[in-house]
Amino acid sequence: MTIDPCATDAGPAVALFNSLGDPARLAIIRSLTSGEQRVRDLVEHLGLAQSTVSAHVACLRDCGLVEGRAEGRQTFYSLSRPELIDLLASAETLLAATGYKVDLCENYGTQERSV
């Protein structure tokens, strides 16, 4: 797949990256790369509140990134698109190649800046 440099509508890509930009949603996606899990499993693994995990899983499901499989009274969630694993791997490669400089970025970084 190639990127169209003439594409004018970046909206869908912005929405995709915004959906992955929340730390809780990204943690859920990363956790689901190892296989399907219930909300309870994600709560235990990530240490987040059940309501937080449920809300973020619902968001990711509405975005088409996660799907649920009912089994009795339980729902097992998994990545709906295996390309997400490739996207995360590419992001890790890019971060390593840039020395994680984006983390120090004045506008978007997460590191505290010393004055």
Side-chain angles (χ1 to χ4, degrees), residues 12-28:
V14 169
L16 171 65
F17 286 108
N18 280 335
S19 72
L20 299 175
D22 181 271
R25 287 193 296 271
L26 184 57
I28 290 167

Side-chain angles (χ1 to χ4, degrees), residues 101-115:
K101 287 182 182 175
V102 72
D103 202 27
L104 300 172
C105 174
E106 186 174 308
N107 294 314
Y108 303 109
T110 60
Q111 299 294 315
E112 293 292 324
R113 296 181 55 84
S114 58
V115 179

Side-chain angles (χ1 to χ4, degrees), residues 1-10:
M1 177 182 197
T2 59
I3 295 175
D4 180 2
C6 297
T8 57
D9 184 11

Side-chain angles (χ1 to χ4, degrees), residues 23-43:
R25 287 193 296 271
L26 184 57
I28 290 167
I29 291 290
R30 283 181 158 175
S31 187
L32 292 176
T33 62
S34 65
E36 65 180 13
Q37 297 178 49
R38 303 168 297 171
V39 167
R40 177 181 177 184
D41 302 324
L42 292 166
V43 166

Side-chain angles (χ1 to χ4, degrees), residues 61-90:
R61 189 184 61 237
D62 291 345
C63 291
L65 301 176
V66 168
E67 59 190 9
R69 177 183 63 80
E71 186 174 297
R73 296 186 337 172
Q74 303 180 84
T75 302
F76 291 84
Y77 293 96
S78 62
L79 299 179
S80 60
R81 303 298 318 177
E83 295 89 350
L84 276 170
I85 296 170
D86 297 335
L87 179 63
L88 293 177
S90 293

